Amino acid sequence: MRLVFAGTPETALPSLRALIDSPRHEVVAVLTRPDARAGRGRSLQPSPVAALAQEAGIEVLRPAKVSDPEFLAQLAALEPDCCPVVAYGALLPQAALDIPRHGWINLHFSLLPAWRGAAPVQHAVLHGDEITGAATFQIVKELDAGPVYGVVTEEIKATDTSGELLARLAISGAGLLAATLDGVEDGTLEARPQPLEGVSVAPKLTVEDAQVDWSAPAMRVDRLVRACTPNPGPWTTFRGQRVKLGPVRPATSARRLAPGELEVEKNTVLVGTGTHPVELGEVQPQGKRLMTAGEWARGVRVTTEDRLG
C-alpha cells in the first residue's frame, strides 16, 4: 500500500523504520508537527520523525493545521491507500480522514477501551496497572473510540517509569502496526468495535500534576514519580526552591517519618510520607546538575527542621 505516516516524537520512530523497511508497503510521505524551538540556542529543530524521513529521502509535510485546504490537496494528490498514525499530536478533521481508502490506523499505547487520551502509559503506571499494551484501531471522530484491529500486551514492572515502559511498547507496537497493515492489505483483518464497558480516560499530565504530595501513601508517591518520569518531570520544594526528583524506592522497614521529613544516613536519604518512608534516588536542585540524593544532602547540609514540600 501507499502510506503517508503521521507521527512526531521518538516514540514513533520504531514504527516508521518498520514501515520504511517493509517490502509490502511504500511510505510516500510523512506528516509531522512543525519544527519547534529546542536546545540552549532555541533554534528551530525538526521533529524526530521529520529527521528520520529526511534521512530516508521521504517527503515531509508540516502543516500548521491539518484542516488547511492546501494540505488536504497535497494529501489527496499523494493518493495514499492508508495513513498509519503514531503519536502525531493533533486532531484529524473528517476531510482528512476521508482521503485514504483504508482510512487512518492509529497505534495507541493502551489496551483499549482503557486509557483513551494523550497519556495512556503515564496513567497506567500512576494507577498501578499490572498489565498494559498497545492497540491498533481505525480512527473515527470520537477520541480513541474506533474499532480495534489487534493488540499486544506488556507487563508493567514494579520499577518501570513511564519512559521505560513506553520505549518497550514503541518497539512491540511497531511490529503490531506493520502486521495490521499487512492484514488490511490482504483483506484478512477485520476491525472489531470496542467494548462499551471498561472505558477510562488518560488526559495529559501537567507540571502541577507532577508535584509530589508527601502526605500521600508511599505507594502513591512511588507511582506518581515513576509515572511523571521523564515527562512532565516529578518535583517538590526544598527551602522554597523547586527540586526535580528521580524515581524513589519504598522503604517499608524504615521507621515512620512525618510527611516530608528527611532522614540522612551516609548515602541514604529517606523522606516521610503518609505511610512508610521512601528512599530518594537522584535529585536536581534548581539551576544545578542531576546528582545522587546523598550528594545533594551533604551539599545542602540537611537539618532536623528541614522538610520537602
Side-chain angles (χ1 to χ4, degrees):
M1 293 191 293
R2 288 173 59 82
L3 305 176
V4 172
F5 179 90
T8 298
E10 285 190 20
T11 304
L13 296 185
S15 290
L16 178 55
R17 289 192 186 100
L19 297 179
I20 290 173
D21 294 341
S22 172
R24 300 186 57 172
H25 311 293
E26 179 189 5
V27 180
V28 297
V30 303
L31 166 64
T32 191
R33 302 294 292 151
D35 294 356
R37 296 194 181 278
R40 288 187 176 180
R42 305 303 294 166
S43 58
L44 284 174
Q45 301 288 333
S47 73
V49 162
L52 178 56
Q54 289 168 335
E55 187 181 299
I58 296 170
E59 182 179 0
V60 179
L61 308 175
R62 301 179 178 89
K65 292 184 179 179
V66 192
S67 57
D68 287 347
E70 183 179 344
F71 164 72
L72 294 174
Q74 273 184 300
L75 183 63
L78 289 167
E79 298 182 337
D81 296 306
C82 186
C83 294
V85 184
V86 185
Y88 168 54
L91 294 176
L92 299 164
Q94 192 62 48
L97 297 180
D98 291 340
I99 290 174
R101 64 190 180 96
H102 288 298
W104 297 64
I105 296 178
N106 190 43
L107 173 64
H108 183 76
F109 297 111
S110 81
L111 297 176
L112 293 169
W115 303 130
R116 295 176 180 175
V121 174
Q122 291 166 314
H123 280 271
V125 173
L126 180 63
H127 289 82
D129 293 358
E130 295 180 352
I131 299 290
T132 188
T136 48
F137 70 94
Q138 188 87 37
I139 292 182
V140 297
K141 191 172 182 180
E142 187 182 350
L143 179 66
D144 298 337
V148 173
Y149 285 102
V151 300
V152 291
T153 59
E154 181 75 33
E155 179 185 358
I156 301 179
K157 300 174 184 177
T159 58
D160 269 339
T161 65
S162 61
E164 292 165 343
L165 180 56
L166 184 57
R168 297 203 304 273
L169 288 170
I171 293 170
S172 59
L176 172 64
L177 181 60
T180 297
L181 295 175
D182 291 348
V184 168
E185 182 194 27
D186 292 341
T188 57
L189 194 58
E190 181 181 346
R192 301 287 179 86
Q194 293 184 33
L196 299 177
E197 305 82 24
V199 175
S200 52
V201 181
K204 181 179 179 180
L205 294 181
T206 66
V207 172
E208 290 72 27
D209 294 328
Q211 182 177 11
V212 175
D213 174 9
W214 297 107
S215 67
M219 181 181 292
R220 173 73 180 181
V221 171
D222 170 45
R223 289 175 181 172
L224 175 72
V225 171
R226 290 188 293 112
C228 293
T229 302
N231 293 310
W235 62 279
T236 187
T237 56
F238 178 75
R239 296 177 184 168
Q241 290 195 316
R242 185 174 294 195
V243 177
K244 294 181 180 179
L245 300 174
V248 301
R249 187 170 64 86
T252 53
S253 60
R255 73 177 183 88
R256 292 288 291 266
L257 300 172
E261 182 183 355
L262 292 158
E263 182 175 280
V264 182
E265 296 178 0
K266 294 184 179 179
N267 291 320
T268 300
V269 181
L270 299 177
V271 189
T273 73
T275 54
H276 52 76
V278 296
E279 181 183 339
L280 291 184
E282 292 181 315
V283 301
Q284 186 174 11
Q286 196 168 320
K288 302 286 182 64
R289 64 175 177 84
L290 188 68
M291 62 187 74
T292 66
E295 287 180 288
W296 168 76
R298 286 191 296 273
V300 297
R301 297 183 179 179
V302 171
T303 71
T304 56
E305 304 300 316
D306 282 321
R307 296 287 186 275
L308 289 184

